[in-house]
Coordinates of all heavy atoms in Angstrom, one line a residue:
G5 N -5.4 -11.0 9.2 CA -4.8 -10.5 10.3 C -3.3 -10.1 10.1 O -2.6 -9.9 11.1
Q6 N -2.8 -10.0 8.8 CA -1.5 -9.7 8.6 C -1.4 -8.1 8.3 O -2.3 -7.6 7.7 CB -0.9 -10.4 7.4 CG -0.9 -11.9 7.6 CD -0.6 -12.6 6.3 OE1 -0.8 -12.2 5.2 NE2 0.0 -13.8 6.5
Y7 N -0.3 -7.5 8.8 CA -0.2 -6.1 8.5 C 0.1 -5.8 7.0 O 1.0 -6.5 6.5 CB 1.0 -5.5 9.4 CG 0.5 -5.3 10.9 CD1 0.9 -6.2 11.9 CD2 -0.2 -4.3 11.2 CE1 0.6 -6.1 13.1 CE2 -0.6 -4.1 12.6 CZ -0.2 -5.0 13.5 OH -0.6 -4.9 14.8
L8 N -0.5 -4.9 6.5 CA -0.2 -4.5 5.1 C 0.9 -3.5 4.9 O 1.7 -3.6 4.2 CB -1.5 -4.0 4.4 CG -2.6 -4.9 4.3 CD1 -3.9 -4.2 3.7 CD2 -2.2 -6.1 3.4
T9 N 0.8 -2.5 5.9 CA 1.8 -1.5 5.9 C 1.8 -0.7 7.2 O 1.0 -1.1 8.1 CB 1.5 -0.5 4.7 OG1 2.5 0.5 4.7 CG2 0.1 0.2 5.0
K10 N 2.6 0.2 7.3 CA 2.6 1.0 8.6 C 1.3 1.9 8.5 O 0.6 1.9 7.5 CB 3.8 2.0 8.6 CG 3.8 2.9 7.4 CD 5.1 3.6 7.3 CE 5.1 4.6 6.1 NZ 4.3 4.4 4.9
Q11 N 1.1 2.7 9.5 CA -0.1 3.6 9.4 C 0.1 4.6 8.3 O 1.1 5.3 8.4 CB -0.3 4.3 10.8 CG -1.5 5.2 10.8 CD -1.7 5.9 12.1 OE1 -1.1 5.6 13.1 NE2 -2.7 6.8 12.2
P12 N -0.8 4.7 7.3 CA -0.6 5.6 6.3 C -0.6 7.1 6.8 O -1.4 7.4 7.7 CB -1.7 5.3 5.3 CG -2.2 4.0 5.7 CD -1.9 3.7 7.1
E13 N 0.2 8.0 6.1 CA 0.1 9.3 6.5 C -1.1 9.9 5.9 O -1.7 9.4 5.0 CB 1.4 10.0 5.9 CG 2.6 9.5 6.5 CD 3.9 10.0 5.8 OE1 3.8 10.5 4.8 OE2 4.9 9.9 6.5
Y14 N -1.6 11.1 6.5 CA -2.8 11.6 5.9 C -2.8 12.1 4.5 O -3.7 12.0 3.7 CB -3.3 12.8 6.8 CG -2.6 14.0 6.7 CD1 -2.9 15.1 5.8 CD2 -1.5 14.3 7.6 CE1 -2.2 16.2 5.8 CE2 -0.8 15.5 7.5 CZ -1.2 16.4 6.5 OH -0.5 17.6 6.5
E15 N -1.5 12.5 4.0 CA -1.3 12.8 2.7 C -1.6 11.6 1.8 O -2.1 11.7 0.6 CB 0.1 13.4 2.4 CG 0.3 14.7 3.1 CD 1.1 14.5 4.4 OE1 1.0 13.4 5.0 OE2 1.7 15.5 4.8
T16 N -1.1 10.4 2.2 CA -1.2 9.2 1.5 C -2.7 8.8 1.3 O -3.2 8.4 0.3 CB -0.5 8.0 2.0 OG1 0.9 8.4 2.1 CG2 -0.7 6.7 1.4
V17 N -3.4 8.9 2.5 CA -4.9 8.6 2.5 C -5.6 9.5 1.6 O -6.5 9.0 0.8 CB -5.4 8.7 3.9 CG1 -6.9 8.4 3.9 CG2 -4.8 7.7 4.9
W18 N -5.3 10.8 1.5 CA -5.9 11.7 0.6 C -5.6 11.4 -0.9 O -6.4 11.2 -1.7 CB -5.5 13.1 0.9 CG -5.9 14.0 -0.3 CD1 -7.2 14.5 -0.5 CD2 -5.1 14.5 -1.3 NE1 -7.1 15.3 -1.8 CE2 -5.9 15.2 -2.2 CE3 -3.7 14.3 -1.6 CZ2 -5.3 15.8 -3.4 CZ3 -3.2 14.9 -2.7 CH2 -4.0 15.6 -3.6
S19 N -4.3 11.2 -1.1 CA -3.8 11.1 -2.5 C -4.3 9.7 -3.1 O -4.7 9.7 -4.3 CB -2.3 11.2 -2.5 OG -1.8 11.1 -3.8
M20 N -4.1 8.7 -2.3 CA -4.5 7.4 -2.8 C -6.0 7.1 -2.6 O -6.6 6.2 -3.3 CB -3.7 6.3 -2.2 CG -2.3 6.4 -2.4 SD -1.9 5.8 -4.0 CE -0.1 5.7 -4.0
G21 N -6.7 7.8 -1.8 CA -8.0 7.6 -1.4 C -9.0 8.6 -2.1 O -9.5 8.3 -3.2
G22 N -9.2 9.7 -1.5 CA -10.2 10.7 -2.0 C -9.8 11.2 -3.3 O -10.7 11.4 -4.2
N23 N -8.6 11.5 -3.6 CA -8.2 12.0 -4.9 C -8.4 11.0 -6.0 O -8.6 11.3 -7.2 CB -6.7 12.3 -4.8 CG -6.3 13.2 -6.0 OD1 -7.0 14.1 -6.4 ND2 -5.0 13.0 -6.4
C24 N -8.4 9.6 -5.7 CA -8.6 8.6 -6.7 C -10.0 8.0 -6.6 O -10.3 7.1 -7.4 CB -7.5 7.5 -6.5 SG -5.9 8.0 -6.8
G25 N -10.8 8.5 -5.6 CA -12.1 7.9 -5.6 C -12.2 6.5 -4.9 O -13.1 5.8 -5.1
I26 N -11.2 6.3 -4.1 CA -11.1 4.9 -3.3 C -11.4 5.2 -1.9 O -10.8 6.0 -1.3 CB -9.7 4.3 -3.5 CG1 -9.4 4.1 -5.0 CG2 -9.6 3.1 -2.7 CD1 -7.9 3.6 -5.2
D27 N -12.5 4.5 -1.4 CA -12.8 4.7 0.1 C -12.6 3.5 0.9 O -12.9 3.5 2.0 CB -14.3 5.1 0.1 CG -15.3 4.1 -0.5 OD1 -14.8 3.1 -0.9 OD2 -16.5 4.4 -0.4
D28 N -11.9 2.5 0.4 CA -11.6 1.3 1.1 C -10.2 1.5 1.7 O -9.2 1.6 1.0 CB -11.7 0.1 0.3 CG -11.3 -1.2 1.0 OD1 -11.8 -1.3 2.1 OD2 -10.6 -2.0 0.4
L29 N -10.0 1.5 3.1 CA -8.8 1.7 3.7 C -7.8 0.6 3.5 O -6.6 0.8 3.4 CB -9.0 2.0 5.2 CG -9.6 3.4 5.6 CD1 -9.8 3.4 7.1 CD2 -8.7 4.5 5.1
D30 N -8.3 -0.6 3.3 CA -7.4 -1.7 3.0 C -6.7 -1.6 1.7 O -5.6 -1.9 1.4 CB -8.2 -3.0 3.1 CG -8.5 -3.5 4.5 OD1 -7.9 -3.0 5.4 OD2 -9.4 -4.4 4.7
S31 N -7.5 -1.1 0.6 CA -7.0 -0.8 -0.7 C -6.0 0.3 -0.6 O -4.9 0.1 -1.2 CB -8.1 -0.5 -1.7 OG -9.0 -1.5 -1.9

Side-chain angles (χ1 to χ4, degrees):
Q6 299 172 332
Y7 285 102
L8 296 174
T9 186
K10 64 191 181 330
Q11 179 179 354
E13 298 170 341
Y14 72 92
E15 295 96 339
T16 299
V17 174
W18 165 79
S19 183
M20 297 286 191
N23 197 36
C24 293
I26 299 172
D27 61 358
D28 178 43
L29 290 176
D30 286 341
S31 295

